[in-house]
Amino acid sequence: MESVSRRTALKLMGLGAALLAAGSRGFAQQAPTADQLVKGKNPKLLVLSQRPIVLETPYDLLVSQPERTPKEILYIRNNVDLPGYNTVEGASLDGWKVEVGGLVDKPFTFEAKELLELPQHEVTMVLQCSGNGRSLFQPRTSGNPWKRGGVGNVTFRGVRLKDLLEAKGVKLGEKALYITAHASRQGNAPEFVRSVPIHALGHALLALSMNGEPLPAVHGGPIRLVFPGYFGVNNVKWVQKIEFTEAENTTAEQMPRYRVPAIPNANIPFLPQEPGKTYPYSFTNSRPNWLVAINSFIFAPLEGQTVEGPYVRVEGVAFNDGIVPLVSVEVSANGGRTWQQARLERQEKSFGWVRWQATLYLRPGEHEVMARAWDAVGRSQPLDGNIAWNERGYEYNGVMRVKFTVA
């Protein structure tokens, strides 16, 4: 074999580098934006996954709509994608059927259009991925690297599941302890099943619309089974089967995914783990991501901003699972040594977030403000969110900190 001269070798290396650089540029140019993946979405949404589609709302977009999150900027966390449903436009009710069975005295199937003839109810609620805030855990956990944009405040409208059961004259069996919902598998979509406790029936809604418009196809239209106060994963999109069961389902989305370590029947929300370690999940040593954890976000000032002083308005939103009211939000500008009460927009049970604001006297210079919420049963947020570290990065609700400059 003939040897390659040094000059030839250098030329080949240069050519290879050029091809690699061109390939990298081509790949970057080909990466689709959010609006290319989902028709009608804001192109500024962050693409965390192309398949299944996962889009995060940039924080500046989230805070720009503090009352209600529009469909164009609402995050997406799909576990499955239905062909033809990647749009914010509504999906047709025509031909959509849902089967209801399990531990009921009279199983039945209904057509989606039947729901239009029943009383309609609205609920404004926080819709949040249980992995929201995952990237704040250290060391890094598995899963999509959510910051704080996997959340929104939306209004669903539809028919209460309990009203549908009553209209059909259906009664539940004594051992019906869980509601188990199945998503459609049309287009050979993978199986997706979630179970929630029967307690959720009280507010369960067969949602047909969101924010006053037909329920966007990508957000579960034509029908999404919504459980206010529960993390987003439990609000099953494209619902096609509802069962009342004695136990949680055993699919991968119920076990081992979407769970945190826990001590059964103990008055502690999670079992602290050594960061970086794995955990042998089972139904007896963990709990599902069901109820939304109490949390608060600072909407202003934003990280890195410069604001006029010395009186600085700090504002944001707070929320919990809606079972009891929020009673206070506190802010601190000295690392948590002292706290000042913020003014809550309202103090009542709410599935949606509640706005709050406080005015601080701050001298010119750099500052860090913290915020934490409290509810009527004494639940609050840990100063160190990493205390809840778990290998899949679920349910982060540590106190939020924002650094900014006062002019």
Side-chain angles (χ1 to χ4, degrees):
M1 179 180 295
E2 295 183 1
S3 61
V4 179
S5 70
R6 182 174 181 274
R7 179 176 295 179
T8 302
L10 289 173
K11 286 182 178 180
L12 290 173
M13 290 172 64
L15 178 61
L19 290 172
L20 182 61
S24 298
R25 287 195 298 271
F27 180 81
Q29 292 169 356
Q30 293 172 9
T33 55
D35 57 321
Q36 293 172 329
L37 290 171
V38 179
K39 183 181 178 181
K41 280 295 182 183
N42 189 307
K44 293 182 180 179
L45 266 62
L46 308 173
V47 179
L48 302 188
S49 170
Q50 296 180 31
R51 187 174 183 182
I53 292 175
V54 183
L55 305 179
E56 178 170 4
T57 309
Y59 200 69
D60 61 338
L61 279 186
L62 182 68
V63 306
S64 71
Q65 301 287 339
E67 293 291 341
R68 192 166 61 179
T69 310
K71 64 182 181 181
E72 292 83 5
I73 67 170
L74 181 64
Y75 83 97
I76 296 175
R77 193 335 177 185
N78 280 356
N79 276 280
V80 299
D81 292 325
L82 289 196
Y85 281 68
N86 291 337
T87 174
V88 299
E89 298 302 315
S92 175
L93 297 175
D94 292 340
W96 194 276
K97 297 181 180 181
V98 181
E99 177 185 347
V100 180
L103 300 175
V104 296
D105 61 347
K106 293 187 294 185
F108 66 97
T109 299
F110 69 91
E111 293 195 12
K113 283 191 172 181
E114 293 181 48
L115 297 179
L116 299 176
E117 303 170 3
L118 295 174
Q120 305 290 306
H121 295 270
E122 281 190 350
V123 60
T124 297
M125 57 179 272
V126 170
L127 189 64
Q128 181 181 217
C129 177
S130 60
N132 195 34
R134 174 180 285 136
S135 65
L136 301 173
F137 281 120
Q138 295 298 327
R140 182 175 176 175
T141 65
S142 63
N144 294 297
W146 294 101
K147 294 180 180 177
R148 294 187 187 270
V151 65
N153 199 49
V154 297
T155 299
F156 287 111
R157 181 178 175 84
V159 174
R160 289 175 178 164
L161 179 55
K162 63 181 181 181
D163 289 349
L164 175 64
L165 296 176
E166 182 177 346
K168 294 291 185 179
V170 172
K171 295 182 179 180
L172 305 183
E174 292 182 358
K175 294 184 177 181
L177 302 180
Y178 296 89
I179 305 170
T180 297
H182 302 245
S184 171
R185 300 193 66 181
Q186 63 179 267
N188 294 318
E191 179 180 51
F192 183 80
V193 188
R194 282 294 291 177
S195 299
V196 299
I198 197 66
H199 169 269
L201 180 60
H203 297 282
L205 191 74
L206 291 159
L208 302 173
S209 74
M210 188 181 81
N211 294 345
E213 300 180 87
L215 181 60
V218 75
H219 288 294
I223 304 179
R224 183 171 187 172
L225 182 54
V226 169
F227 298 105
Y230 283 69
F231 278 114
V233 66
N234 303 289
N235 300 276
V236 176
K237 302 173 184 177
W238 316 299
V239 66
Q240 207 147 51
K241 183 178 181 181
I242 302 169
E243 294 180 291
F244 293 89
T245 57
E246 187 175 359
E248 298 176 51
N249 80 83
T250 57
T251 66
E253 309 306 328
Q254 194 81 20
M255 168 61 66
R257 299 186 67 204
Y258 294 105
R259 303 184 81 87
V260 294
I263 303 173
N265 304 315
N267 189 26
I268 183 171
F270 54 85
L271 178 61
Q273 300 298 297
E274 181 180 345
K277 298 294 185 180
T278 59
Y279 187 77
Y281 289 89
S282 72
F283 283 106
T284 57
N285 69 5
S286 64
R287 64 166 178 80
N289 300 152
W290 280 337
L291 296 174
V292 169
I294 188 169
N295 216 331
S296 60
F297 292 163
I298 298 171
F299 276 11
L302 291 176
E303 183 76 19
Q305 275 189 334
T306 297
V307 298
E308 294 296 321
Y311 294 99
V312 177
R313 188 171 73 172
V314 181
E315 58 185 310
V317 298
F319 53 90
N320 66 353
D321 52 27
I323 293 177
V324 298
L326 293 170
V327 295
S328 71
V329 170
E330 301 172 324
V331 295
S332 175
N334 58 14
R337 292 192 300 275
T338 60
W339 296 84
Q340 177 179 321
Q341 290 280 339
R343 182 175 63 84
L344 280 175
E345 182 181 56
R346 62 184 185 276
Q347 290 186 346
E348 59 190 34
K349 290 182 182 181
S350 176
F351 293 118
W353 63 37
V354 178
R355 297 183 70 179
W356 57 264
Q357 66 175 26
T359 301
L360 303 180
Y361 180 84
L362 299 173
R363 298 183 183 279
E366 295 184 354
H367 294 272
E368 181 179 74
V369 168
M370 305 158 58
R372 67 181 179 190
W374 292 84
D375 69 17
V377 292
R379 293 180 296 185
S380 188
Q381 303 170 247
L383 293 179
D384 178 10
N386 219 52
I387 190 69
W389 190 95
N390 58 91
E391 63 193 274
R392 293 185 177 89
Y394 295 131
E395 301 190 12
Y396 185 91
N397 74 328
V399 165
M400 185 173 182
R401 294 169 166 82
V402 171
K403 292 181 179 179
F404 58 94
T405 300
V406 176

